[in-house]
Amino acid sequence: MTRSRRRLVALAATTTLALTGLTAGPALAEVPPDAPEQLRNGDFSAGVSPWFSYSTGELAVTDGQLCTTVAAGTANPWDAGIGQDAVPLIQGAEYELSFDVSATPGAALKAVLQLGSAPYTTYASVDATATPTATHVTTTFTAPADNAGAQLIFQIGGSAEAQTFCLDNVSLRGGEAAPPYEPDTGPRVRVNQVGYLPGGPKHATVVTDATDPLPWQLTSAAGAVVASGKTTPRGEDAASAQNVQTVDFSAYRKPGTGYTLTVDGETSHPFDISGTLYDRLRADSMQFFYAQRSGIAIDGDLIGDEYARPAGHLDVAPNKGDTDVPCQPGVCDYTLDVRGGWYDAGDHGKYVVNGGIATYQLLNSFERTKTAETADGGAALGDSTLRVPERGNDVPDVLDEARWELDFLMRMQVPAGKPLAGMVHHKIHDKNWTGLPLAPQDDAEVRELHPPSTAATLNLAAVAAQCARLFAPYDAAFAARCGEAAKTAYAAAKAHPAIYASATDGTGGGAYDDTNVTDEFYWAAAELWLTTGDKAYLADVTGSPLHTADVFTPNGAFGWQSVAALGRLDLATVPNTLPAAEKTRIRASVTAAADQYLATIRDQAYGLPLPGTADAYVWGSNSNMVNNTIVLATAFDLSRNAKYRDGALQAADYLFGRNALNMSYVTGWGEQNAHNQHSRIFGNQLNPDLPNPPDGSLAGGPNAALQDPYAANLLAGCAPMFCYVDNINSYATNEVAINWNSALAWLASFLADQGDAKAVPAPTCAVTYSTHGSWPAGFTTQVTLRNTGTKAIDGWSLRWAFLGGQKVSHAWSAQVDQTGATVTAKNLPWNGKLSPGTSTTFGLNGTSAGGPNPDPTLVTLNGKACTIS
């Protein structure tokens, strides 16, 4: 799904009044009649795009003109405007700016060509008076500076009366025609620039005119040829419009650094073969969330001095703050303390529906460790494993990070006693768009709560239900708070099932509109049932048409606007009490979807689970690709079938350089990596005193719709995989966002868990886990371990995890310990040896705070999965 656009406009009165620059005057030389046009769609024959407005009514094309309204009483001309970004200027070149304008009943306006970010330097400006009859305005000027991304703003505020403004025939001629953009794609041999796991697949793509197979050589860092073979011709790849061939060197498994692949006279970027390739990526990808935190000072000792900053939006001037935020006019009569949470993306807004899926993926990356054999019981996501200030508090760090957003999400709930009580405000952000760069603590804009929505309310219900079961072993009070918030939100959503976020509410922040919430209802009901066991929630799950539908789509298995797959994945993986046949059907739907993604990987010469059509390369295409990969990874966790793991590993190659641009889309990872992502916080490209995004930040990726003017100017006519530019001005291809990094963080954790990617052994043990009695506060369980292998077991350690807050209170015939939800049972001196075919049994009593207590779906013996019988 596309995300709402991020616009750069100069709004602050103090800034505008202080602008310096060249005001348009008499022409220094005549602009040639054949001078190139630098604006797009100035006659509005193509509709509204790429024009934008702020503090106005909706833009519309009426009788061939671009028209909008401005409310009465705006104080200053710059308080409302119409504009276009990414206007190229060349220092010393002559330009002619012209336009037709009318206004009813009539008002003054100013056209300003300026720097689109602080300090908003004026390059040229012209004043005009608009009347109900169209007036033609024209002026010439000499550009005082080079700027490939200047901004044209028609300032149309400052009138005591309401106005209707219309523009037509807007033109800026002069300078030079932009040369064709040619990205630097480096060597024609495209590899995963990070590397490959020893036992995993190893593929590369070669761009070549050749149509017959070509010889390839794999060379060590010392220059020795260690493997060779022939390529496979693939013809023209639709996504890149390149003639390509592929290389498969999977048979080579020796770990090492600095390998290169040579084909057709070209040598790839270097890469490693190692089982520890992705260990650091797990922490890097999750540190992004700490760097995006609102309402807390960022500690440079944790993530680097360059990222240290004061807390943002805590009512410290110039911030208006998030501790006492009013609603938009007419929305509510109260204020809320909505401090905390994560800044969503390149701006300083905080959005519940995007925060919901991002929080889900962090929570789910931890919950996966309870049911995935390769996750080692979650040791790598435990306390003091990540760079967060809460480390050392006996809570897994990934849960600490998720809690920062969970607290914010619950603060967005409408208070009891108010209209729509229990519903959740859709978003909170600046009243007006701000420019780049802008540190959070320097944001002077007024903050506003936007109306509640059913989608936002169900997002809270879903993730707060997750929170209730996952935090139960660590913080029972917080878990209970989450549980109550989830139930309250779900009840409120059922009472108000069709309150939708407006698609036009996009000034100062993204709209995040969604008019179909059947998927949110399904997801929330599934999470609440898994946590509470309440049959009413199960009835909503099984009664939803999505319960038996194919919810995994080719272009993106799930996203903030399409969340049914989240419910399906959790029903397939989280232990529950569904009938065995129903569990089998649900899990089969996941593996069937994974099979389809494997087929897509085979069909794509660059080996990714995304179709090669333009409609697959949308805003945030990289996250869509990763989410499809998560389905593959989940299928592996469910089935232990290595083909799904291999598919996930191959898909990761695309992120790290095996793509048409030869670009790693993850900052700090790979020889050539994206590092100029669109962000107000990480504005190094505009201000060298600021940092680039931290290592482990995922760029949005190719977007064939070219929904920002910088990309539209530069990349017109691009093949889908080439519709990307690593430039801070391209918000539609190169933004950072919490839901994109949450997808990367989930995948990074899975990749790191795979180690050498060795063959998956058949189980050599079987476990029978039987709960013989249960009551509201406890239960009795008996566990039988059977040696089904051909070798004797000499010492055993069984491990499994409870669903939530269950705790072992007493055990017999085994030494049983518990950390969080994870239980470890070890043999006693007399029952540690098991010959093939023999078994031993032990038991335990446990306590519970109520709710379901399903049998575990994973029990490991000395780290290896047993068959559950």
Side-chain angles (χ1 to χ4, degrees):
M1 298 293 179
T2 58
R3 297 166 48 80
S4 297
R5 54 179 294 153
R6 308 284 193 250
R7 303 185 184 109
L8 322 178
V9 294
L11 302 173
T14 54
T15 301
T16 305
L17 290 173
L19 290 177
T20 60
L22 178 67
T23 300
L28 300 178
E30 185 177 349
V31 177
D34 61 348
E37 177 62 57
Q38 303 297 347
L39 298 179
R40 295 163 310 288
N41 191 29
D43 62 0
F44 311 111
S45 59
V48 169
S49 182
W51 295 90
F52 63 84
S53 67
Y54 62 91
S55 301
T56 73
E58 187 173 359
L59 291 178
V61 177
T62 303
D63 297 328
Q65 304 174 91
L66 183 70
C67 298
T68 192
T69 57
V70 181
T74 52
N76 304 292
W78 51 84
D79 287 342
I82 302 171
Q84 184 172 132
D85 288 328
V87 180
L89 296 177
I90 299 173
Q91 183 175 10
E94 299 292 331
Y95 293 87
E96 179 185 78
L97 173 66
S98 63
F99 55 91
D100 296 337
V101 63
S102 63
T104 304
L109 79 151
K110 176 179 281 191
V112 182
L113 266 162
Q114 63 182 19
L115 180 68
S117 58
Y120 305 108
T121 305
T122 295
Y123 301 133
S125 67
V126 60
D127 295 290
T129 299
T131 67
T133 302
T135 300
H136 183 71
V137 180
T138 184
T139 188
T140 59
F141 65 94
T142 302
D146 285 325
N147 190 338
Q151 186 180 70
L152 172 63
I153 295 288
F154 290 93
Q155 297 178 351
I156 55 176
S159 174
E161 299 179 275
Q163 300 285 343
T164 297
F165 278 93
C166 293
L167 290 168
D168 200 0
N169 301 317
V170 186
S171 172
L172 178 67
R173 295 188 307 106
E176 298 175 358
Y181 172 65
E182 291 290 340
D184 179 9
T185 56
R188 291 184 287 106
V189 183
R190 312 290 159 77
V191 297
N192 181 329
Q193 296 169 26
V194 175
Y196 302 86
L197 303 187
K202 303 173 190 70
H203 295 94
T205 302
V206 184
V207 181
T208 177
D209 292 332
T211 56
D212 293 329
L214 297 168
W216 60 262
Q217 291 184 328
L218 179 66
T219 304
S220 70
V225 175
V226 296
S228 60
K230 290 278 192 177
T231 62
T232 300
R234 299 295 297 267
E236 183 173 297
D237 172 56
S240 64
Q242 297 169 320
N243 189 74
V244 296
Q245 301 198 24
T246 55
V247 178
D248 183 351
F249 57 108
S250 303
Y252 188 80
R253 300 188 171 200
K254 185 177 180 180
T257 61
Y259 288 104
T260 55
L261 191 66
T262 300
V263 191
D264 199 24
E266 292 272 324
T267 299
S268 72
H269 288 304
F271 56 88
D272 298 345
I273 297 177
S274 169
T276 61
L277 285 177
Y278 297 111
D279 288 5
R280 183 172 61 87
L281 182 62
R282 179 173 7 221
D284 278 4
S285 58
M286 289 189 180
Q287 80 172 353
F288 175 82
F289 295 91
Y290 177 55
Q292 290 283 115
R293 282 193 192 186
S294 175
I296 187 174
I298 302 304
D299 185 351
D301 289 341
L302 285 173
I303 62 170
D305 289 342
E306 66 269 37
Y307 298 103
R309 58 173 170 81
H313 297 98
L314 282 186
D315 303 305
V316 177
N319 282 171
K320 301 299 187 290
D322 286 354
T323 61
D324 193 33
V325 181
C327 287
Q328 289 177 303
V331 170
C332 74
D333 63 356
Y334 51 83
T335 63
L336 290 181
D337 178 351
V338 291
R339 72 182 75 190
W342 302 312
Y343 297 119
D344 174 69
D347 64 312
H348 300 141
K350 299 185 291 189
Y351 308 86
V352 170
V353 294
N354 218 39
I357 188 172
T359 304
Y360 163 86
Q361 289 192 301
L362 291 196
L363 292 173
N364 188 256
S365 70
F366 176 76
E367 190 153 40
R368 171 188 168 268
T369 68
K370 297 183 177 186
T371 58
E373 178 184 2
T374 59
D376 192 27
L381 286 174
D383 188 25
S384 297
T385 58
L386 302 179
R387 287 157 274 183
V388 295
E390 299 84 1
R391 63 202 326 263
N393 64 353
D394 295 325
V395 177
D397 287 346
V398 66
L399 296 186
D400 285 324
E401 189 58 72
R403 181 171 180 162
W404 194 259
E405 181 75 1
L406 284 162
D407 274 324
F408 158 72
L409 294 174
M410 288 188 281
R411 291 185 180 117
M412 292 287 280
Q413 203 159 19
V414 176
K418 296 294 183 180
L420 303 179
M423 294 288 283
V424 177
H425 287 274
H426 197 72
K427 56 182 182 167
I428 176 260
H429 57 65
D430 291 343
K431 182 177 181 180
N432 294 300
W433 285 105
T434 56
L436 291 93
L438 183 66
Q441 68 271 15
D442 297 330
D443 178 14
E445 272 294 327
V446 171
R447 307 278 275 178
E448 293 180 327
L449 287 167
H450 292 247
S453 73
T454 306
T457 305
L458 290 167
N459 267 260
L460 174 62
V463 296
Q466 271 185 296
C467 164
R469 64 178 181 263
L470 292 176
F471 274 89
Y474 306 102
D475 189 333
F478 183 65
R481 179 183 160 211
C482 284
E484 286 306 309
K487 295 172 187 175
T488 299
Y490 191 77
K494 292 200 77 172
H496 306 283
I499 298 180
Y500 304 128
S502 170
T504 61
D505 186 12
T507 298
Y512 284 95
D513 53 300
D514 188 355
T515 57
N516 181 352
V517 295
T518 56
D519 53 322
E520 281 85 0
F521 270 111
Y522 179 66
W523 174 34
E527 299 296 351
L528 277 158
W529 177 70
L530 289 168
T531 298
T532 68
D534 189 320
K535 292 181 180 178
Y537 298 126
L538 178 60
D540 286 352
V541 170
T542 57
S544 170
L546 293 171
H547 189 54
T548 54
D550 181 3
V551 296
F552 301 102
T553 57
N555 291 3
F558 50 88
W560 66 265
Q561 204 176 42
S562 179
V563 294
L566 306 184
R568 180 72 59 82
L569 290 171
D570 277 8
L571 290 171
T573 57
V574 177
N576 62 68
T577 56
L578 284 173
E582 181 72 342
K583 287 182 184 179
T584 298
R585 181 192 67 80
I586 290 170
R587 291 172 179 170
S589 74
V590 176
T591 54
D595 286 333
Q596 291 300 312
Y597 294 136
L598 287 179
T600 302
I601 286 174
R602 290 190 294 269
D603 188 55
Q604 295 301 302
Y606 279 101
L608 70 160
L610 202 66
T613 53
D615 63 354
Y617 287 83
V618 297
W619 202 317
S621 64
N622 280 343
S623 73
N624 287 349
M625 193 284 293
V626 175
N627 289 337
N628 288 357
T629 305
I630 288 171
V631 176
L632 286 163
T634 303
F636 171 69
D637 288 342
L638 287 171
S639 69
R640 304 177 77 247
N641 189 326
K643 70 177 182 179
Y644 300 121
R645 179 187 64 192
D646 289 352
L649 292 171
Q650 191 170 346
D653 296 343
Y654 170 83
L655 284 185
F656 298 107
R658 189 191 172 200
N659 54 59
L661 287 165
N662 208 1
M663 165 81 71
S664 169
Y665 290 111
V666 181
T667 303
W669 285 75
E671 190 84 2
Q672 179 177 333
N673 61 77
H675 52 271
N676 292 313
Q677 289 100 321
H678 177 84
S679 168
R680 282 160 177 75
I681 301 175
F682 312 119
N684 177 267
Q685 193 174 13
L686 297 175
N687 181 351
D689 292 334
L690 297 175
N692 292 115
D695 289 355
S697 301
L698 178 65
N703 177 5
L706 301 179
Q707 289 153 300
D708 68 72
Y710 186 87
N713 266 356
L714 199 66
L715 305 174
C718 54
M721 206 180 284
F722 277 102
C723 296
Y724 169 85
V725 58
D726 182 27
N727 188 286
I728 196 170
N729 292 304
S730 182
Y731 47 81
T733 77
N734 200 36
E735 193 169 18
V736 290
I738 54 174
N739 61 315
W740 302 342
N741 248 76
S742 62
L744 176 64
W746 195 106
L747 179 60
S749 191
F750 173 85
L751 295 173
D753 286 344
Q754 303 316 307
D756 288 345
K758 295 178 180 177
V760 181
T764 58
C765 53
V767 168
T768 302
Y769 184 100
S770 304
T771 299
H772 290 298
S774 60
W775 51 97
F779 57 94
T780 296
T781 292
Q782 181 174 287
V783 180
T784 298
L785 166 65
R786 185 176 189 82
N787 182 353
T788 60
T790 59
K791 297 180 180 179
I793 296 171
D794 188 2
W796 49 265
S797 176
L798 290 186
R799 184 176 64 205
W800 70 89
F802 289 130
L803 174 72
Q806 297 85 352
K807 295 186 182 298
V808 175
S809 57
H810 175 66
W812 56 94
S813 299
Q815 177 187 329
V816 179
D817 298 300
Q818 184 173 352
T819 301
T822 301
V823 180
T824 303
K826 297 181 179 180
N827 64 274
L828 297 178
W830 55 268
N831 63 354
K833 292 185 178 181
L834 293 177
S835 301
T838 63
S839 61
T840 188
T841 297
F842 63 93
L844 57 92
N845 290 330
T847 61
S848 174
N853 182 32
D855 294 348
T857 57
L858 173 71
V859 180
T860 62
L861 167 64
N862 301 333
K864 302 297 182 183
C866 295
T867 301
I868 304 293
S869 60

